[in-house]
Each structure stands twice: as C-alpha cells, then as structure tokens.
C-alpha cells in the first residue's frame, strides 16, 4: 500500500532519530541517503499538492466563483503542514476575501485575524482594513483594541486604515478620536472629500 507524503516524512524522521549516535560518520551517510530517497521526494510532492490546489483556487477566485474558491482555500488552510507552504499568507487572505465577497463576514474575520496575528508581511495592511470594515458593518467591536495595538494604525498603515478606524470610532460615539483620524485620512487625495465631511460631522456631534 502506497504511503501518503505525510506518512513517508514521519517514517523517515523516525529513521533519523533511531540512527546510532556512535556511528556518526556512517549515520551521516545513511541520513543523507534517507533524505534523498524519502524526505525530499515527499516534501516536493507535498509542495506540489499545495501549489496545485492553490492555483485551482486562485483561478476560481479570479473567475468570481467565490464559493468554490473558498472551499479549496479552506482545504489548504486545514491541511497538515499548511503553515510551511510558502503561499500560506496569501491563502489566508484570499480565503478571507472569498468569504467577504460572499458576505460571510464573521467567517472572513477569522482568517483575516489569523493573518494579522502572524505579524507584518504580505496582506497585513489589507487585512487590518478588512477587519475594521467588518467591525463597522456588523457593529461587533470585539477584539478591536488588540487590533489597534498590533497594527499601530495611526503611524504605519496610512489613510485606508485611518479612515476605517475613524468610522468605527464615530459609530461607537468616540467623536473626538474619530475627528482626529478622519483629518489624518483627509491628507490623502482619495479620502479628502469624504474624510473632511465626516470630520466636520464628528465635530458637530461632539457639541
């Protein structure tokens, strides 16, 4: 019966561990042979499997078949060893996007949050903006303070995040903070009109 790539990796790892320490020279030779014979092909097969699924999911996403895309992306994310896949961050983000575009906002939030918790890197800023949009649309503000602490929105993430943060603060009645962040976002041409308008509305609401 043919072993799965995961079973092959486990078997080869056990073989490495069981090599006698006293036979260091012979052990190194055997370890290299085992790696070449078992580990490397198994790892390549696993990598190919992830890449093949990822490409299929991305095609579905680009064709706006978000239901199919989300199922394939989810299959990748839940697979053993997924975190070692070099496209893991993008998979998380596109899974979030697929769910967001289907208006499955709470499910999307889970995967944007997971990406943000991994720290700065690709899609970090976009995920923060999405999380703020979801908070605004659902009026569910759970975890926002943690998000603010992780993201340092005011200094690092620019107008899109500043605008969404201000919008959430306005909805929560934090008019002074909202006005400050609307004015920061208004420095960008794309947000100048709408952010300036809401800054004025926030100013009136403070009174």
């Amino acid at each position: 019966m043919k072993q799965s790539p995961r079973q092959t990796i486990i078997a080869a790892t056990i073989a490495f561990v069981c090599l006698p320490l006293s036979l260091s020279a012979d052990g190194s030779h055997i370890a290299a042979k085992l790696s070449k014979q078992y580990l490397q092909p198994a790892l390549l097969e696993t990598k190919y499997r992830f890449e093949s699924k990822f490409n299929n999911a991305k095609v579905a996403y680009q064709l706006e078949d978000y239901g199919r895309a989300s199922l394939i992306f989810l299959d990748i994310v839940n697979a053993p060893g997924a975190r070692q896949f070099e496209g893991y961050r993008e998979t998380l983000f596109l899974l979030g996007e697929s769910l967001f575009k289907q208006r499955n906002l709470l499910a999307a939030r889970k995967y944007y949050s997971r990406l943000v918790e991994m720290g700065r890197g690709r899609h970090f800023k976009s995920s923060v903006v999405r999380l703020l949009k979801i908070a605004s649309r659902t009026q569910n503000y759970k975890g926002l303070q943690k998000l603010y602490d992780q993201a340092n929105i005011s200094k690092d993430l620019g107008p899109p995040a500043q605008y969404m943060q201000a919008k959430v603060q306005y909805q929560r009645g934090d008019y002074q903070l909202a006005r400050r962040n609307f004015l920061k976002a208004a420095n960008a041409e794309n947000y100048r009109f709408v952010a300036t308008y809401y800054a004025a509305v926030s100013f009136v609401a403070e009174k």
Side-chain angles (χ1 to χ4, degrees):
M1 182 177 178
K2 186 180 177 182
Q3 288 183 319
S4 70
R6 184 165 179 265
Q7 289 171 325
T8 303
I9 292 169
I10 292 170
T13 303
I14 291 171
F16 283 140
V17 172
C18 293
L19 285 172
L21 296 177
S22 59
L23 302 176
S24 56
D26 291 339
S28 297
H29 175 72
I30 296 169
K33 187 175 180 180
L34 281 170
S35 176
K36 186 175 181 180
Q37 185 174 354
Y38 295 107
L39 276 178
Q40 291 176 19
L43 290 170
L44 284 172
E45 185 177 342
T46 300
K47 180 181 178 183
Y48 174 77
R49 181 163 45 84
F50 279 133
E51 288 178 348
S52 179
K53 284 186 176 182
F54 177 78
N55 289 334
N56 287 338
K58 201 164 183 181
V59 168
Y61 179 84
Q62 290 168 344
L63 293 173
E64 300 183 4
D65 187 352
Y66 301 121
R68 182 168 183 270
S70 61
L71 288 174
I72 304 173
F73 284 132
L74 185 62
D75 190 43
I76 296 172
V77 167
N78 289 338
R83 287 179 178 270
Q84 280 66 57
F85 173 47
E86 61 186 19
Y88 182 68
R89 287 185 74 102
E90 188 169 7
T91 301
L92 282 177
F93 180 71
L94 291 177
L95 174 55
E97 288 290 278
S98 299
L99 294 165
F100 185 88
K101 291 175 186 296
Q102 294 176 81
R103 300 182 182 178
N104 193 344
L105 301 184
L106 296 182
R109 182 176 66 180
K110 175 181 176 180
Y111 298 103
Y112 293 130
S113 297
R114 190 180 298 182
L115 196 153
V116 169
E117 286 167 4
M118 291 174 67
R120 292 178 181 274
R122 192 174 186 191
H123 300 303
F124 180 87
K125 291 183 180 181
S126 298
S127 294
V128 169
V129 173
R130 283 300 202 208
L131 286 170
L132 290 168
K133 282 187 177 181
I134 290 170
S136 174
R137 289 188 186 182
T138 62
Q139 296 188 12
N140 183 337
Y141 308 114
K142 183 180 178 181
L144 276 187
Q145 188 55 54
K146 182 181 177 182
L147 178 64
Y148 295 156
D149 294 341
Q150 287 174 318
N152 200 0
I153 292 169
S154 295
K155 291 184 179 180
D156 297 337
L157 297 190
Q162 289 166 349
Y163 175 78
M164 284 311 308
Q165 182 183 29
K167 194 170 180 180
V168 169
Q169 289 166 336
Y170 178 84
Q171 289 175 327
R172 301 184 73 180
D174 298 331
Y175 300 120
Q176 188 174 20
L177 287 173
R179 181 168 60 87
R180 289 176 186 172
N181 284 311
F182 278 130
L183 289 173
K184 288 177 183 176
N187 289 324
E189 187 174 349
N190 290 347
Y191 290 91
R192 187 162 297 152
F193 176 79
V194 67
T196 301
Y197 170 79
Y198 277 111
V201 171
S202 300
F203 178 75
V204 171
E206 284 181 65
K207 304 302 180 182

